[in-house]
Amino acid sequence: EGGGGGGGSGGGESPMSLLAREGEKELQAALQKVQADMESQGCSHEEIGSQLASVRESHAAYMRQQRQMLQEREEVYKEAIAEGLTPEAAKARVQACAQWQQQMQRLQAKHQAAMQKTHHEAEAAGVSTAEIKRRLEAQRRLQQAEAEAWQQKMRARQQAASEAAEKGQSAAEVEKAVKAVTRAQDAAWAEREAALLAAEGVARREAAEAARQLADASLSPDIRRILLARVRIGGLSARPDLNGREGVAKMWVVEKSRFAVLVDGQGAKAAEQR
């Protein structure tokens, strides 16, 4: 996961230098393996060169992230010492920071895999390019919400631990307070996640219905022409505030002889389109 905590190098090789040396060793090993594997498969020099360049680019991005994480840990150590903590207590804080970073990395990896899965599933389902783009954007919003909830939980845990410690509570009581906050934060995220997933389920069903309607020869050509097009709302008496607003005609509501319009900046509204 990268170099150790901040501080206390004892005059030996600095953590940053050690990270760079180990990183270069990992890169060379990866390049050699890729080249050997591709040569054994009979790949051309151009293909091998392209793949090696990709490996170098990915490794450079990885090392940038590792350097940033190491710098963060070193800063945490310096701040802890400046606050008057002992070196041991400062290193404990650095360890907590390292654990936080590792958890964030796992969350990022989970999100990357989810994006790839969403894209592959959408392509396999044969949905339109626009629907693939919409699904990926919805997945991105879900991931952003999860990352924000996770960060909020970490801050709440730290605050609960600090407040309990300031009150002179025992280690068991501190742990109990942290667990209570964790359960509350997890419950809040579970509720929000369920709402976001439910909304995405509705959006996918509506997209499937729109695709069906586009292929439905029993609907008039005018209706099919307007489906999924940008429109301007007009003629609403119940919601005159929406008249003049623009959006996308996402579905024809047969029962009401109206288009359901996804209004820019709002949710879906059933609007009569002229």
Side-chain angles (χ1 to χ4, degrees):
E1 298 293 343
S9 62
E13 185 175 17
S14 70
M16 194 65 73
S17 176
L18 177 61
L19 174 63
R21 182 164 58 81
E22 293 298 325
E24 181 62 23
K25 185 187 301 183
E26 292 173 3
L27 172 61
Q28 294 305 319
L31 291 174
Q32 291 174 8
K33 183 177 187 306
V34 168
Q35 182 166 354
D37 289 345
M38 295 189 72
E39 286 177 348
S40 67
Q41 296 169 13
C43 297
S44 67
H45 291 300
E46 291 76 12
E47 291 173 325
I48 294 175
S50 176
Q51 186 60 33
L52 292 179
S54 178
V55 170
R56 290 190 181 94
E57 182 178 352
S58 297
H59 186 267
Y62 167 77
M63 290 303 296
R64 284 194 297 271
Q65 183 184 49
Q66 294 300 310
R67 285 193 295 270
Q68 180 180 357
M69 291 169 58
L70 178 55
Q71 288 169 352
E72 289 175 356
R73 296 196 295 272
E74 291 180 335
E75 188 62 30
V76 165
Y77 183 86
K78 292 176 183 178
E79 290 177 355
I81 293 298
E83 291 175 11
L85 272 64
T86 64
E88 291 72 18
K91 289 179 180 179
R93 184 177 291 185
V94 169
Q95 183 60 32
C97 175
Q99 292 174 353
W100 185 91
Q101 291 173 333
Q102 291 169 8
Q103 290 173 348
M104 179 59 78
Q105 281 189 312
R106 286 193 288 269
L107 185 61
Q108 291 172 345
K110 170 189 170 184
H111 287 173
Q112 183 177 6
M115 288 292 283
Q116 293 174 347
K117 181 180 179 183
T118 297
H119 191 273
H120 292 158
E121 289 180 346
E123 285 187 329
V127 301
S128 66
T129 301
E131 173 60 8
I132 292 177
K133 183 178 179 181
R134 188 206 63 76
R135 291 188 183 188
L136 291 175
E137 177 60 24
Q139 183 68 35
R140 186 196 64 77
R141 290 195 299 269
L142 175 65
Q143 292 174 352
Q144 181 178 0
E146 183 178 17
E148 290 172 353
W150 184 83
Q151 291 172 347
Q152 182 177 344
K153 180 174 73 173
M154 292 300 103
R155 288 192 294 268
R157 284 167 54 93
Q158 292 173 355
Q159 182 177 353
S162 297
E163 291 176 352
E166 288 174 0
K167 295 176 182 178
Q169 296 179 345
S170 66
E173 291 172 326
V174 171
E175 184 179 359
K176 182 178 179 181
V178 170
K179 286 183 177 180
V181 167
T182 301
R183 286 194 297 271
Q185 292 291 327
D186 286 344
W189 165 243
E191 182 177 353
R192 186 180 181 192
E193 182 184 33
L196 291 171
L197 291 175
E200 173 60 10
V202 171
R204 292 193 182 190
R205 289 192 293 274
E206 290 175 343
E209 176 60 16
R212 187 196 66 78
Q213 290 179 347
L214 282 171
D216 187 353
S218 67
L219 292 177
S220 73
D222 286 340
I223 290 177
R224 287 185 287 166
R225 175 178 57 82
I226 295 172
L227 268 172
L228 302 182
R230 290 196 60 77
V231 296
R232 179 177 291 109
I233 299 172
L236 287 180
S237 56
R239 290 293 307 275
D241 58 301
L242 291 178
N243 289 329
R245 297 286 297 277
E246 296 185 351
V248 175
K250 63 176 187 173
M251 187 172 60
W252 175 248
V253 184
V254 178
E255 298 80 5
K256 298 183 178 181
S257 295
R258 296 177 177 178
F259 283 101
V261 177
L262 183 63
V263 182
D264 291 346
Q266 293 190 10
K269 303 294 179 182
E272 189 174 305
Q273 170 63 33
R274 291 182 172 179

